[in-house]
Amino acid sequence: MDRRSLLKWATGALSGLVGAAVAGPIVTFVGHPLGRSQRRSAALPVADLTSLPEGVPVKTAVILPLFRDAWSRFEKVPLGAVWLLRRGEQVQALSATCPHAGCFIDFEPKAGHFACPCHGSAFDLDGHPTAGPSPRPMDGLAAEVREGKVLVAFARFRQGLPNKEEI
Amino acid sequence: MLQAVTGVVMASCYSPSVTTAWASVAYLQDQMALGWFIRGLHSAGASAMIILLLLHMLQVAVWGAYRAPRELNWIVGVALLGIALGFALTGYLLPWDQKGYWATQVATSLMGAAPLLGPVMQQLIQGGTSYGHLTLTRFYALHVFVLPATTVLLVAIHIALFRRHGVTPSWRLSPDELERKRVPFWPDQLVLDAAAIALIFSLLAGSVIHTHGAALEAPADPTAAYDARPEWYFLPLFQLLKLFPGRAEIPAALGAPALIFGLLLALPFLDRAGSRSPQGRWRYLAVLLVLIVGAAALGLCAWHADAHSETYQKEHHRAEAEAERARRLALEGVPVAGGRAVFENDPTFRARRLLAERCLGCHIYSGTGEERGPSLDGWSSRAYLTALLHNPDHFYGHTPFHEMKPVTAPEPQIAALVEYVYSLGGGSVDRAQVAEGQALFSSLDCDQCHETDGSSSGQGPNLGDRASRDWLRAFLRDPSAERFFGKKNEMPKVGEKLSPEELESVVDLLLSERAKGLF
């Protein structure tokens, strides 16, 4: 190897070393969120059973008493909305997020069904799709009634898939 | 380059507002993967940049490279030094910690004291008459947009001019010798540059790993005293302020930098010596030398004074302890109010708030509350019990227990009695004193009113197990139980209104008062 190639090679090697020494930590730093998994929320009280009318969906917010978002610590943070449907002593909870593309599903009292305003998906009271592009039924959430309180375990699911896959 | 890359990466995790700046930097520093390393590189890189800039200027000065035709390039270089100091000044505030907050206050106050445009400039840069959200957003905009853009522009001009005029050759060489020594930039010069960069980077990385990154102090607090110090490169100026008291201070603080920059800018026009040889230009180089030595001496003076000042060292350690506490609490997330609200994560803070809500209607604690029941400062510590034996009415004078008489006995006996009563609640005690105190307890007729078995009732409260954790829990839940205040009780059942965690935090607080013994 002549002197000139050696110098070129040395320059490349030195630059590469410094570059790697900087790039390594930076990739680790920027990739930080990838290592974090979603923490499942516990069942949270959302309503009194007596406040729910029989057979008519009611929208409620699921509120987390304490929530951490990166450096902040929030109290009483709304996680999302659910549609509650009382059937006797049982309550069905459906996520208000459309499984198609994530829009907010509304209830149309006149038609008596759920409808997504974005792409026209419609669902019956059990959440089964009756029209539109939604690949699967509305996402059901675990709900229970304990001492007169309705508790819902909130969760998010990946959109656009035929199967319900929790994030 | 390093500053730009680490800066951009950090900006992906920085939130410039009074409520979030400190919290986001604490998160970056303590919770993001390798955040401490990247922030450390940025901070150490700033210092390295200043050092290298000064060395470069010195080299240019000695070589006489500022002289015609390169005057303009020298001026651009001096402007770049100003920009670098601007970076340092604006960057120092961004973490919104005690250090940055107070040190920058000094800088903006001085700016405001300048004649004519001073107050307007201060208000503009602060985004108001005092520090707030706008101060941070403006400093941030300066630090990440305005100054970098100016730097790129000036560096481009600097390099373009450099390419036009070429390298300034050594004054010793003749044109023929120069021609023989000519080497191509690539790869001959570049390999040297690469080696220098690698060396400097290794030093930086080494120092960052050694110090575990840059310091982050407790969140900014306009109400807390703080002994602010600027970054090392501003220390000479800081020391200068100490030397010029009173009315001379402002002219000195603003005049000295103005004079130095003025001198540097004027240098190419002052120096009209015939040759570029340093011997012929010794006058100008001597002025520079005096400036450098003077600045170094001032900086060393400031450093030396702090190193030997007990007050400063004490304050410094206190600030470090507070920073450590704030950052530990920030691991749980900072409450929305931000900054100082991190201390609300402290269980004792919550307990204090509960105490204020539930207890201070009747008790005094840390200077607030009502004096119906006994004070809670140093509750049941030895000092507290001693005072109680001397003057029970001071504690229970407004309660049905005002019947207790002061214990009249020599101090050693009081101390033994206190040790005995203290021992009933647990904790490390002096066994001999406890034995003596137990004997005195019956010989001084304390046992006429107080039982010590922890269950039966008497004229006064049963002292068995008194002030232990279990005792406190049970007492707070129901002070009217037979073994506590019984039928004479006037205290509400506070413990029943608290959640188990809340009760525990109040118990912890009272036990810490007992252990502290400050009274």
Side-chain angles (χ1 to χ4, degrees), chain B residues 171-432:
Chain B
W171 61 90
R172 294 189 208 93
L173 303 176
S174 67
D176 285 350
E177 284 169 313
L178 277 176
E179 193 52 40
R180 276 201 305 282
K181 287 195 75 172
R182 207 179 153 110
V183 291
F185 181 74
W186 164 247
D188 295 60
Q189 177 60 38
L190 205 59
V191 75
L192 292 178
D193 287 355
I197 289 173
L199 178 72
I200 292 167
F201 179 79
S202 314
L203 289 175
L204 282 182
S207 87
V208 169
I209 291 167
H210 180 68
T211 56
H212 199 75
L216 176 65
E217 302 236 333
D221 182 359
T223 64
Y226 185 80
D227 212 350
R229 288 293 176 276
E231 200 57 287
W232 63 266
Y233 30 80
F234 288 123
L235 267 185
L237 198 56
F238 163 81
Q239 183 69 12
L240 202 64
L241 294 189
K242 291 207 265 184
L243 297 179
F244 288 90
R247 295 178 63 180
E249 184 171 17
I250 300 302
L254 300 166
L259 187 72
I260 293 173
F261 269 91
L263 259 179
L264 289 176
L265 290 174
L267 191 58
F269 310 102
L270 295 175
D271 177 2
R272 293 286 178 201
S275 103
R276 275 200 296 107
S277 140
Q279 287 92 332
R281 295 182 296 113
W282 66 268
R283 282 186 221 96
Y284 310 105
L285 294 182
V287 172
L288 284 183
L289 193 70
V290 167
L291 280 181
I292 292 169
V293 171
L298 281 173
L300 279 177
C301 267
W303 176 80
H304 186 263
D306 283 347
H308 289 85
S309 153
E310 211 171 284
T311 330
Y312 176 76
Q313 290 299 329
K314 214 170 127 190
E315 173 62 21
H316 186 65
H317 288 307
R318 193 197 57 76
E320 272 185 347
E322 200 193 18
E324 203 267 335
R325 184 166 149 248
R327 281 164 64 177
R328 188 165 31 80
L329 292 171
L331 295 178
E332 295 172 31
V334 179
V336 187
R340 305 293 299 175
V342 71
F343 292 115
E344 290 175 20
N345 287 353
D346 193 328
T348 60
F349 179 89
R350 285 179 220 162
R352 279 164 184 268
R353 198 160 59 181
L354 285 171
L355 221 57
E357 286 165 6
R358 304 278 183 189
C359 313
L360 300 192
C362 297
H363 298 276
I364 287 199
Y365 183 67
S366 288
T368 48
E370 298 288 329
E371 212 174 340
R372 266 182 268 175
S375 155
L376 299 178
D377 290 307
W379 179 81
S380 285
S381 63
R382 289 180 176 88
Y384 178 98
L385 293 173
T386 311
L388 174 63
L389 294 185
H390 281 309
N391 183 9
D393 271 359
H394 178 66
F395 296 84
Y396 290 97
H398 302 288
T399 74
F401 295 96
H402 58 81
E403 297 147 5
M404 178 169 161
K405 293 179 191 66
V407 179
T408 42
E411 275 314 307
Q413 293 197 355
I414 297 272
L417 211 48
V418 163
E419 197 67 5
Y420 170 62
V421 175
Y422 187 87
S423 77
L424 295 172
S428 60
V429 287
D430 182 327
R431 294 262 153 239

Side-chain angles (χ1 to χ4, degrees), chain B residues 20 24 54 57 95 152 220 237 360 414 435 442 456 474 511 514:
Chain B
T20 53
S24 61
L54 291 176
M57 287 184 83
V152 169
L237 198 56
L360 300 192
I414 297 272
S442 83
S456 52
L511 289 178
R514 180 175 185 255

Side-chain angles (χ1 to χ4, degrees), chain B residues 66-78:
Chain B
Y66 52 78
R67 292 157 55 97
R70 301 187 178 85
E71 305 100 315
L72 183 59
N73 217 10
W74 168 259
I75 290 171
V76 171
V78 173

Side-chain angles (χ1 to χ4, degrees), chain A residues 72-75, chain B residues 19-20 334-338 341:
Chain A
S72 283
R73 173 193 175 98
F74 298 102
E75 282 173 16
Chain B
T19 48
T20 53
V334 179
V336 187

